Amino acid sequence: MNSALFILKSTELGDIYDCINIYKRPSFDHPLLVNHKIQMKPTVIQEQANEQISNMFPSIMRSKLEGFPSETVPIRRTTKKELIKQKYISSWMKRRHVIQPSAEKIYYGGSSSISVANTRVNPGQFSTGQIWIQNGPSEELNSIEFGWAVHPHLFNDNQTRVFGLWTVDGFRETGCYNMLCPGFVKVHPEYSFGEHINSGTYGGDQRAFSFSVHRDPKSGNWWFVNGIDNAKIGYWPKEIFTHLANNASVIGYGGVAGGDLGGPTPPMGHGHLPVFDSKYSYCMLHMKVINNRGNYVDFDSSKMQLKHDTKTSCYDLMLTGRALSWGTTMFSGGPGGDCPVL
């Protein structure tokens, strides 16, 4: 359990946050971070231009966690039940379906404005909209994953929430969601993992939320930035990685849906196969990567590799080029169901 100066309880969903001194946060329990020097902000501010998406995607208003003393950060309370669940992370990774376009090169980050869905899932299931940043062979895979998730097993409800996930060995022994293990260094005083974000409705109004991770060129830390206000939530330190210490070799965009072994898999996105209409498809807009000059550039759809690990009647995706005012855009989703791994 985290030690706290005082407790703030969310009035909306009942979440409990502990107020942690920035120099005593649980991140520093990681053996590779004993002598780590805190970085309070990126040395180079990678401000993603939040382009006008359209009236279809109004910005999501955020609820700030306010009233904390200086030099403290709010961290969502970790319960004993959640710590027990964390032990099953490797099995979660083995029972999930992935749909993503990906490209292999040298990258220093990625970003997108992602439409937000409140996917209907049952207990023991989860569904996400996310970005992957990876490097290394499968048994030594370094991976950072981030976006939104509906994950009752992780968050104890069916709300759509912000998440982050990392590993340095393909989820065999290392890594965790959010801050369920030492690693991620949180610095933002008002926002945190587990933040609830409002979703759009199938066939109705949509909502989009921007997500970005970039490697700081001086410290080598991987900074997590989100929201229309480009909030610098914190970072995954360079020291905890091996293959991601210098750059990423693979970046992917899409979604994950998983469930108990032997059972049906949950929907992805709004639960319908994609069409070229943002009202009826989960979509990712302004898909960008960060190049070796530190600039955001459009993800080149002509060089993408499409990855399906199950039937396209379960989940599918459709890509556009850069002709739309939304930049490089992907429409995806699906109903799930009986979806064997191919």
Side-chain angles (χ1 to χ4, degrees), residues 36-309:
H36 179 77
K37 183 178 180 180
I38 298 174
Q39 183 180 11
M40 294 304 298
K41 62 181 180 179
T43 52
V44 176
I45 305 298
Q46 296 282 5
E47 295 287 8
Q48 180 186 1
N50 286 300
E51 295 95 338
Q52 178 63 37
I53 299 174
S54 83
N55 292 331
M56 280 288 296
F57 292 91
S59 301
I60 292 176
M61 300 302 294
R62 312 179 73 169
S63 298
K64 294 182 178 180
L65 297 168
E66 299 178 313
F68 291 93
S70 61
E71 296 193 346
T72 66
V73 291
I75 296 178
R76 188 172 180 268
R77 173 166 289 192
T78 300
T79 66
K80 290 182 179 179
K81 186 177 181 180
E82 288 172 331
L83 289 174
I84 293 172
K85 291 176 180 178
Q86 164 61 21
K87 296 179 181 178
Y88 297 99
I89 185 172
S90 61
S91 64
W92 292 351
M93 297 304 110
K94 294 175 183 176
R95 61 177 192 244
R96 62 182 195 167
H97 287 300
V98 176
I99 180 171
Q100 67 176 124
S102 62
E104 298 186 9
K105 200 178 176 181
I106 295 178
Y107 302 104
Y108 297 88
S111 67
S112 179
S113 292
I114 306 178
S115 67
V116 182
N118 185 234
T119 313
R120 294 182 180 274
V121 302
N122 296 321
Q125 297 180 331
F126 62 94
S127 191
T128 76
Q130 66 174 74
I131 301 174
W132 293 259
I133 293 177
Q134 299 177 329
N135 203 347
S138 59
E139 67 277 6
E140 300 174 5
L141 181 67
N142 286 204
S143 181
I144 296 173
E145 305 180 23
F146 55 98
W148 60 256
V150 181
H151 201 321
H153 199 69
L154 178 64
F155 293 117
N156 299 313
D157 62 24
N158 284 70
Q159 301 295 328
T160 307
R161 295 177 179 269
V162 174
F163 84 96
L165 173 65
W166 69 276
T167 183
V168 296
D169 62 0
F171 299 106
R172 291 184 301 159
E173 299 290 340
T174 68
C176 64
Y177 279 96
N178 305 336
M179 299 184 70
L180 291 180
C181 67
F184 185 83
V185 178
K186 184 181 180 300
V187 300
H188 201 283
E190 297 168 331
Y191 303 128
S192 185
F193 286 125
E195 176 186 356
H196 170 244
I197 48 179
N198 294 322
S199 62
T201 57
Y202 180 73
D205 292 337
Q206 301 300 310
R207 297 289 186 271
F209 199 74
S210 63
F211 292 94
S212 174
V213 163
H214 73 269
R215 182 182 180 275
D216 187 282
K218 293 186 178 180
S219 68
N221 300 324
W222 290 88
W223 274 87
F224 181 41
V225 179
N226 65 33
I228 191 70
D229 47 353
N230 285 307
K232 286 77 176 169
I233 306 302
Y235 59 90
W236 288 274
K238 174 182 179 179
E239 293 95 322
I240 67 175
F241 295 110
T242 52
H243 297 287
L244 272 178
N246 296 312
N247 60 266
S249 62
V250 175
I251 188 166
Y253 301 77
V256 173
D260 292 330
L261 290 174
T265 57
M268 186 182 295
H270 288 303
H272 298 264
L273 292 173
V275 295
F276 285 116
D277 189 331
S278 58
K279 279 191 174 184
Y280 299 96
S281 297
Y282 154 69
C283 56
M284 305 186 79
L285 310 100
H286 297 296
M287 297 162 60
K288 295 180 181 291
V289 298
I290 298 177
N291 61 20
N292 58 3
R293 296 182 179 180
N295 299 321
Y296 282 98
V297 296
D298 287 322
F299 194 30
D300 188 348
S301 59
S302 67
K303 298 180 180 179
M304 293 180 184
Q305 300 174 4
L306 301 185
K307 179 179 179 181
H308 297 77
D309 66 359

